[in-house]
Amino acid sequence: MMPDMPDGTRVLLTRDEIAARVTVLGAEIERDYAGREPVLVSVLKGGTVFLADLFRAIDLPARVDFMSISRYEESAAPTGVVRILKDLDHDIVGRDVIVVEDIIDTGLTLSYLLGALRQREPASLEVCTLLDKAVRRIAPLEIRYAGFDCPDVFAVGYGLDASERFRNLPFIVAVERSAVASAPELLLPLLTS
Ligand code: IMP
Ligand code: MG
């Protein structure tokens, strides 16, 4: 049962819709990487919920590794330049790397990260994102695997946060731009229903 939705919000993707798509993405990766041992790289923290489900949908000897980054938010214009707070635990030289993301918005962060990872000479480097907010793209990116097109709304749940909360919602909610500021309060009833 889906709860009643607060004003300014609507369900973007149900638990079942997400699960079905994740199964398909996992099967595609499994087929494309047959005979290889890909490393799924997740950028903390948004992508971890998706990663956990995707990883279990791939029946290959795959591995996971994590990075944590911080954006330089003081600068007026976003550049995508980030500081690495936690680097990968293992070398990726000669490995088949798949960066697993929750959502790609402007693409600035990811395009900077991909540049940094490419310098480490992986055998291959691809991107798998659950949501692709293509209308907002600034940095052109080649996305090999995309779960769903995302409209220009603020998406929350299934790993995506509003001020660090609601990552544990099992479905994804779209919050209208005008309601984003009050999103944390608006969404609270969804956690208790
Ligand atoms: P980009 O550099 O603009 O592509 O930033 C992407 C990052 O911004 C994602 O990994 C998210 O952490 C965050 N983000 C972008 N759009 C949303 C959204 O709709 N909901 C929650 N987080 C978002
Ligand atoms: Mg993120």
Side-chain angles (χ1 to χ4, degrees), residues 2 5 10-15 18 102 130-131 148 150 154-160 169-174:
M2 291 304 291
M5 297 304 293
R10 66 188 160 88
V11 174
L12 188 65
L13 294 165
T14 66
R15 203 176 184 138
I18 297 169
D102 47 358
L130 180 68
L131 300 179
F148 301 94
C150 183
F154 191 67
V156 181
Y158 196 72
L160 294 152
L169 280 179
F171 49 89
I172 297 177
V173 177

Side-chain angles (χ1 to χ4, degrees), residues 134-149:
V135 288
R136 301 245 313 157
R137 195 66 28 83
I138 294 173
L141 278 177
E142 210 175 292
I143 303 171
R144 175 81 173 268
Y145 307 98
F148 301 94
D149 289 329

Side-chain angles (χ1 to χ4, degrees), residues 71 101-109 133 153-155 160-161:
R71 298 190 183 83
E101 270 284 16
D102 47 358
I103 187 165
I104 304 174
D105 190 56
T106 64
L108 287 167
T109 317
K133 220 190 259 181
V153 294
F154 191 67
L160 294 152
D161 71 307

Side-chain angles (χ1 to χ4, degrees), residues 73-191:
E73 283 171 11
E74 315 83 61
S75 61
T79 57
V81 177
V82 296
R83 195 155 52 96
I84 296 177
L85 298 179
K86 183 223 166 292
D87 207 337
L88 299 174
D89 287 340
H90 300 284
D91 254 349
I92 53 166
V93 184
R95 293 214 151 268
D96 294 301
V97 175
I98 306 172
V99 177
V100 177
E101 270 284 16
D102 47 358
I103 187 165
I104 304 174
D105 190 56
T106 64
L108 287 167
T109 317
L110 185 59
S111 110
Y112 178 86
L113 256 187
L114 289 174
L117 293 176
R118 209 168 277 121
Q119 286 181 359
R120 302 180 187 186
E121 301 182 0
S124 65
L125 182 61
E126 301 290 352
V127 175
C128 177
T129 186
L130 180 68
L131 300 179
D132 181 7
K133 220 190 259 181
V135 288
R136 301 245 313 157
R137 195 66 28 83
I138 294 173
L141 278 177
E142 210 175 292
I143 303 171
R144 175 81 173 268
Y145 307 98
F148 301 94
D149 289 329
C150 183
D152 189 11
V153 294
F154 191 67
V156 181
Y158 196 72
L160 294 152
D161 71 307
S163 308
E164 291 297 328
R165 288 194 282 178
F166 309 107
R167 296 190 195 276
N168 53 337
L169 280 179
F171 49 89
I172 297 177
V173 177
V175 181
E176 297 306 327
R177 292 254 159 228
S178 58
V180 166
S182 42
E185 286 65 42
L186 281 177
L187 297 172
L188 266 179
L190 298 180
L191 283 178

